[in-house]
Amino acid sequence: MERDGRQWVVAGAGKVIRSVIRGSGSALPRRVVSNAELAAEVDTSDEWIVERTGIRQRYIAGEGETTATLATDAARKALAAAGVDAAEIDLIILATATPDNTFPATSTKVQHALGCHGGIAFDVQAVCSGFLYALTTADSLLRTGSAKKALVIGAETFSRILDWEDRTTCVLFGDGAGAIVLEAVDGEADDDHAAGLIASRLHADGRQHDLLYVDGGPSTTQTVGHLRMRGREVFRHAVVNLAEVLNEVLEDAGVSAEEIDWVVPHQANARILDATARKLGLPIEKVVVTVDQHANTSAASVPLAFDTAIQDGRIKAGDLVMFEAMGGGFTWGACLARM
Ligand code: UT7
């Protein structure tokens, strides 16, 4: 195989393998918590949260609900939507920063729960960009023939690493999971309208480690720790980094911003979504917004938003969809796909 711009080409044959999105699913905890309910416990208000973030409610995991149970639920729905049997899955990548255990990988718990044994299963830890990292990694493994059918999942229980005394962070996050089934499909290299992932870019910059992190871990404090964030600085970097990476992917794909049908972004803050859309010159109507319903669910937010727009019929076959996210590390990335 050789690389021809944005895709791997089987030398001489003009053939490519593309990773095609076959179906999606999502899962939310039973309990929904409104801003007003939070304001009864924390020194905040519905007005402040809505004005600064766009968030109106979030889902919070209760007893018996974990990252693995939510991920399994979302994965089962994605398999059903794709018409794929769990036994056909030979790759599971689960993006999470809130695993059930320090090890083994939560993806192996999901694999066991689904009853598909023997394939590849591992977790990816890139916080809010985790789904983009997982998607790009799955795409690479599918296109190089290491697997044929993948489950790519983003699942989190951030409520369990929040400091509920810290109003600057605890109002922002929620729990949930989203999943997609990705299948390796043979196609012609010059078919510009074929379904599949087209181009993706990932980045990390560890210099910004301390702007968004958890103050615990097995190798440092031997505790789980709590989320800490310097929100204003993160906001500033997010808008710049996302606009840059979106332009990189558009350039790699040879596509203009106007050709995009839908942007499915990480749902951290409605103001970041507005600012990024403005920088790209895209109308906000093309951006899938779920931050009002789910709050920031870290690695789960992109697949949760994607599944929402699939379920309500906004995203259709043939659409060009841009996924993007930015989070702790910093890490960030974007991926363009044809449905
Ligand atoms: O998912 C990974 C990526 N994460 C993000 O992208 C998050 C990016 N950052 C943000 O979304 C925003 O910066 C926040 C929503 C976190 C904060 O909004 P902001 O407009 O940057 O507010 P701020 O931090 O500058 O705080 C403004 C004021 C402060 O009061 P003073 O110092 O002006 O008197 C805060 O103490 O708002 C106060 N404040 C609150 N008031 C009521 C902070 N949190 C709250 C709260 N309720 N929950």
Side-chain angles (χ1 to χ4, degrees), residues 42-45 48-49 52-53 128 167-169 171-173 212 229 231-235 238 266 268-269 271-272 296 298 326-328:
V42 181
D43 179 19
T44 188
S45 65
W48 189 94
I49 301 171
R52 300 294 177 124
T53 72
C128 300
R167 70 173 183 171
T168 68
T169 54
V171 303
L172 304 174
F173 295 89
L212 175 51
M229 176 165 74
R232 210 177 299 179
E233 281 96 325
V234 177
F235 191 113
H266 170 50
N269 186 319
R271 289 188 293 142
I272 296 179
N296 182 345
S298 186
M326 141 104 192

Side-chain angles (χ1 to χ4, degrees), residues 105-323:
T106 302
S107 55
T108 60
K109 261 180 126 170
V110 173
Q111 191 208 41
H112 178 55
L114 294 175
C116 50
H117 306 115
I120 306 166
F122 61 96
D123 290 0
V124 158
Q125 216 286 46
V127 207
C128 300
S129 317
F131 187 77
L132 268 297
Y133 270 68
L135 187 61
T136 303
T137 307
D139 180 39
S140 303
L141 288 166
L142 291 180
R143 284 190 294 121
T144 51
S146 302
K148 290 278 181 224
K149 284 183 189 162
L151 265 170
V152 185
I153 310 168
E156 304 277 17
T157 44
F158 256 50
S159 63
R160 296 191 171 136
I161 55 165
L162 295 175
D163 174 355
W164 290 97
E165 309 270 292
D166 176 11
R167 70 173 183 171
T168 68
T169 54
C170 73
V171 303
L172 304 174
F173 295 89
D175 303 333
I180 62 163
V181 173
L182 213 54
E183 180 178 1
V185 173
D186 293 330
E188 304 298 323
D190 58 3
D191 183 354
D192 284 343
H193 290 94
L197 270 51
I198 298 168
S200 61
R201 288 275 192 131
L202 300 174
H203 292 285
D205 185 350
R207 287 174 298 181
Q208 271 84 38
H209 178 280
D210 294 344
L211 295 184
L212 175 51
Y213 68 105
V214 167
D215 62 4
S219 185
T220 49
T221 59
Q222 296 86 57
T223 61
V224 171
H226 290 118
L227 183 148
R228 306 291 172 209
M229 176 165 74
R230 288 183 17 216
R232 210 177 299 179
E233 281 96 325
V234 177
F235 191 113
R236 199 164 41 82
H237 282 280
V239 176
V240 174
N241 291 348
L242 287 172
E244 267 176 27
V245 76
L246 287 167
N247 280 318
E248 285 171 3
V249 171
L250 287 174
E251 204 177 307
D252 287 352
V255 163
S256 68
E258 299 79 62
E259 292 175 74
I260 298 176
D261 294 297
W262 294 104
V263 180
V264 182
H266 170 50
Q267 310 283 324
N269 186 319
R271 289 188 293 142
I272 296 179
L273 305 187
D274 284 340
T276 313
R278 253 200 317 276
K279 266 192 173 248
L280 273 180
L282 276 176
I284 193 70
E285 291 72 33
K286 285 191 169 189
V287 180
V288 178
V289 180
T290 54
V291 67
D292 55 332
Q293 297 301 305
H294 303 151
N296 182 345
T297 57
S298 186
S301 88
V302 170
L304 257 171
F306 177 68
D307 190 50
T308 302
I310 290 280
Q311 297 293 336
D312 66 23
R314 270 180 288 175
I315 297 180
K316 297 185 187 67
D319 282 354
L320 259 188
V321 179
M322 180 72 93
F323 302 94

